[in-house]
């Protein structure tokens, strides 16, 4: 970290001694005030619910500027990566710090491809679930169970173990997601095919069956690949912070990633695209495009409980840079599949038009976000709504691993232990039961 020439001074109105606090500069983005010695010198903690003003770590992986609508992976704009790279190149970048050359990419693709199979006993573990179990419930169990099969890569403090676990997780997540899907619909599992690209292999495992040859569609494969790239990492969000916090105890990488999967399940995080599509289905049931004006009135009504899902973003105060890319992909997929006249997609495009042109939404910067478009694309690809968050987890796994590895390699890392402002009862004595 680079110290700043400026220092902060914390003073108290009760006459307590003031305290100088160091300030550190990032390569880009806000400076941070170092409060690590605050409690030792003052006996006080800071109070920051949701950690909205707290930097929990220093990182070199992902940078977001919400005001500018900017997202960088290792310094590269997301727009350039999504247009010029595939997902495994992006994985290499997040893990290693730089984009691969041709030889490095070939070696990395081969390494990942050779680890796509899962232990055959995993299918028996999977069969212990109900057929109608939510895919995220299944994925939480499957990912955590990997540590029971791969004992040679569970030491989080061993760099070689972490590297092996990283490749295994990236390689096996598509296989596990496809298995969870096939199990839920009662179809036989499709084994991975190492001659295919990462995304083409996933699509085949999802939609092939033993009765006929699966014909790959390049537009659809590129669409799912772009979804993976756009969701690969997103700085210190809830699930990434969960992975870091879980991993800080020294638990194995598979358990830490399973914790991230569980956190991602929440509707305020990974379930946002599912919520956006559910909103579209509700509008469609209530009259579709003809009734969209009434829906918009309800959204604008302060006394209404109706919410516009898939628009705006907590971090991006401008346009979500991922949304523009996903919008292009959305229209490419709808065109390739001839779905522009599908009632739900026509509704989605009508809602998009209103949000981009209506002064109410423009003034509040409630632009369609990546979840809005990715939900539409996944539905067009034939992916059921219940599987959307599992797809997200598949994509985000590489980001979680990169963040976890960075934390473990940081000499300043400690087990996470947030503090609290206690407002409960002070110490009191236990009375005999007859006097309570």
């Amino acid at each position: 970290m680079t110290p700043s020439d400026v220092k902060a001074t914390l003073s108290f109105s009760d006459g307590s001694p003031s305290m100088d606090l160091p300030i550190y500069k990032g390569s880009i983005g806000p400076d941070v005030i170092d409060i690590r010695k605050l409690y030792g010198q003052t006996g006080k903690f800071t109070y920051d619910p949701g950690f909205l003003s707290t930097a929990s770590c220093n990182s070199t992986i992902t940078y977001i500027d919400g005001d500018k609508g900017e997202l960088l992976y290792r310094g590269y704009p997301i727009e350039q990566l999504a247009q010029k790279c595939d997902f495994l190149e992006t994985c290499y970048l997040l893990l290693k710090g730089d984009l691969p050359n041709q030889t490095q990419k070939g070696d990395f693709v081969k390494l990942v491809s050779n680890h796509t199979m899962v232990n055959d006993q995993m299918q028996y573990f999977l069969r212990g679930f109900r057929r109608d179990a939510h895919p995220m419930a299944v994925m939480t169990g499957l990912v955590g169970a990997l540590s029971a099969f791969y004992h040679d890569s569970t030491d989080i403090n061993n760099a070689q173990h972490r590297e092996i676990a990283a490749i295994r997780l990236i390689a096996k997540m598509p296989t596990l997601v496809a298995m969870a899907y096939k199990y839920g619909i009662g179809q036989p599992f499709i084994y991975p095919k190492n001659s295919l690209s990462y995304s083409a292999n996933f699509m085949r495992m999802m939609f092939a069956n033993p009765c006929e040859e699966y014909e790959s569609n390049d537009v659809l494969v590129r669409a799912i690949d772009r979804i993976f790239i756009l969701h690969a990492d997103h700085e210190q969000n809830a699930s990434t912070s969960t992975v870091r916090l879980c991993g800080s105890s020294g638990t194995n990488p598979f358990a830490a990633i399973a914790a991230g999967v569980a956190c991602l399940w929440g509707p305020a995080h990974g379930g946002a695209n599912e919520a956006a599509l559910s909103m579209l289905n509700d509008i469609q049931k209530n009259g579709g495009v003809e009734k969209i004006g009434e829906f918009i009135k309800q959204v604008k009504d302060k006394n209404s409980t109706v919410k516009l899902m898939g628009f705006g973003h907590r971090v991006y105060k401008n346009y979500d840079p991922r949304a523009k890319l996903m919008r292009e992909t959305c229209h490419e997929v709808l065109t390739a599949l001839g779905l522009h006249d599908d009632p739900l997609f026509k509704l989605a495009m009508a809602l998009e038009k209103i949000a981009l042109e209506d002064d109410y939404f423009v003034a509040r910067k409630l632009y369609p976000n990546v979840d809005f478009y990715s939900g539409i694309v996944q539905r067009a690809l034939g992916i059921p709504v219940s599987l959307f968050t599992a797809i997200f987890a598949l994509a985000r796994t590489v980001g979680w691993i990169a963040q976890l590895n960075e934390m473990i390699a940081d000499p300043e890392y400690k087990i996470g232990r947030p503090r609290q402002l206690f407002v409960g009862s002070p110490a009191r004595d236990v009375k005999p039961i007859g006097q309570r």
Side-chain angles (χ1 to χ4, degrees):
M1 296 190 294
T2 306
S4 171
D5 295 333
V6 179
K7 288 187 178 180
T9 301
L10 179 64
S11 59
F12 304 91
S13 60
D14 63 358
S16 299
S18 61
M19 177 184 179
D20 287 336
L21 298 169
I23 296 178
Y24 291 98
K25 298 185 294 185
S27 52
I28 47 177
D31 296 345
V32 298
I33 301 172
D34 185 351
I35 60 167
R36 283 176 289 182
K37 296 182 179 179
L38 179 67
Y39 178 65
Q41 294 189 22
T42 69
K44 295 177 173 63
F45 301 136
T46 56
Y47 183 64
D48 184 22
F51 311 109
L52 302 185
S53 297
T54 300
S56 61
C57 62
N58 67 81
S59 181
T60 63
I61 300 171
T62 303
Y63 174 75
I64 299 170
D65 188 322
D67 294 328
K68 293 180 180 177
E70 183 178 62
L71 171 60
L72 308 177
Y73 290 172
R74 300 286 192 181
Y76 292 103
I78 191 66
E79 296 89 341
Q80 294 182 29
L81 292 171
Q83 292 166 352
K84 299 178 180 181
C85 300
D86 62 28
F87 180 62
L88 284 186
E89 285 178 276
T90 305
C91 289
Y92 188 99
L93 170 68
L94 291 172
L95 292 174
K96 307 285 189 180
D98 287 300
L99 286 168
N101 60 31
Q102 195 67 48
T103 301
Q104 290 168 331
K105 180 184 177 181
D107 292 343
F108 186 73
V109 169
K110 184 178 180 180
L111 184 61
V112 171
S113 297
N114 287 340
H115 285 83
T116 51
M117 286 280 288
V118 297
N119 190 294
D120 197 52
Q121 285 182 261
M122 287 293 284
Q123 65 173 296
Y124 301 110
F125 178 54
L126 181 60
R127 289 190 170 109
F129 292 101
R130 286 172 53 124
R131 292 277 183 181
D132 61 353
H134 194 287
M136 286 300 281
V138 176
M139 289 303 298
T140 303
L142 292 180
V143 174
L146 288 175
S147 59
F149 293 93
Y150 302 106
H151 302 291
D152 60 340
S153 56
T154 56
D155 183 358
I156 204 169
N157 295 308
N158 184 311
Q160 187 176 11
H161 280 214
R162 293 199 305 273
E163 186 172 349
I164 295 170
I167 296 300
R168 282 176 170 160
L169 280 160
I170 294 167
K172 297 178 193 306
M173 280 297 281
T175 309
L176 294 178
V177 171
M179 287 176 71
Y181 170 63
K182 289 294 194 182
Y183 179 73
I185 61 174
Q187 289 188 6
F189 304 132
I190 302 297
Y191 288 102
K193 194 171 185 178
N194 293 351
S195 61
L196 296 176
S197 71
Y198 187 88
S199 296
N201 189 32
F202 174 66
M203 293 289 283
R204 178 180 174 276
M205 288 191 291
M206 283 283 291
F207 300 117
N209 67 70
C211 302
E212 57 189 0
E213 288 296 319
Y214 175 74
E215 295 184 12
S216 180
N217 183 315
D218 290 343
V219 174
L220 307 190
V221 169
R222 179 58 185 162
I224 199 71
D225 198 75
R226 180 167 283 191
I227 287 175
F228 292 164
I229 292 171
L230 298 181
H231 290 85
D233 197 50
H234 209 238
E235 209 215 69
Q236 305 309 314
N237 53 79
S239 58
T240 298
S241 298
T242 297
V243 170
R244 279 181 173 261
L245 188 61
C246 184
S248 74
S249 72
T251 191
N252 69 78
F254 303 107
I257 301 306
V261 173
C263 180
L264 192 69
W265 193 357
H269 192 7
N273 52 13
E274 187 174 335
L277 206 62
S278 296
M279 174 196 71
L280 291 174
N281 280 319
D282 289 341
I283 300 172
Q284 186 63 31
K285 289 176 185 177
N286 292 324
V289 175
E290 290 75 18
K291 297 292 183 180
I292 200 168
E294 293 181 16
F295 173 76
I296 295 299
K297 284 182 182 178
Q298 290 179 302
V299 170
K300 294 178 180 180
D301 185 355
K302 293 180 180 179
N303 298 318
S304 171
T305 58
V306 175
K307 293 184 178 180
L308 185 65
M309 308 303 294
F311 291 76
H313 196 280
R314 177 176 171 180
V315 173
Y316 297 108
K317 306 309 177 187
N318 207 316
Y319 200 79
D320 182 343
R322 302 168 301 169
K324 181 180 178 182
L325 297 160
M326 206 66 247
R327 182 178 187 272
E328 293 174 2
T329 296
C330 180
H331 287 280
E332 287 173 4
V333 169
L334 296 183
T335 299
L337 296 176
L339 288 173
H340 276 290
D341 290 330
D342 179 276
L344 196 70
F345 295 130
K346 286 179 72 174
L347 172 62
M349 296 304 101
L351 190 58
E352 175 202 51
K353 188 173 187 296
I354 291 172
L356 293 175
E357 296 176 1
D358 190 301
D359 289 340
Y360 176 89
F361 298 107
V362 173
R364 290 165 175 76
K365 297 183 178 178
L366 291 175
Y367 304 114
N369 59 36
V370 69
D371 298 309
F372 178 75
Y373 294 113
S374 67
I376 297 170
V377 170
Q378 289 183 74
R379 183 181 184 274
L381 295 178
I383 297 169
V385 174
S386 61
L387 206 70
F388 284 4
T389 315
I391 302 289
F392 193 161
L394 188 169
R396 184 56 56 85
T397 294
V398 65
W400 289 333
I401 294 167
Q403 297 274 350
L404 179 64
N405 288 349
E406 181 180 67
M407 180 195 72
I408 298 300
D410 185 349
E412 293 188 329
Y413 110 87
K414 297 178 176 64
I415 184 171
R417 179 57 171 89
R419 300 294 191 165
Q420 66 176 13
L421 173 63
F422 182 71
V423 294
S425 174
R428 49 182 173 169
D429 295 324
V430 176
K431 294 179 181 180
I433 193 167
Q435 298 177 22
R436 296 175 201 165

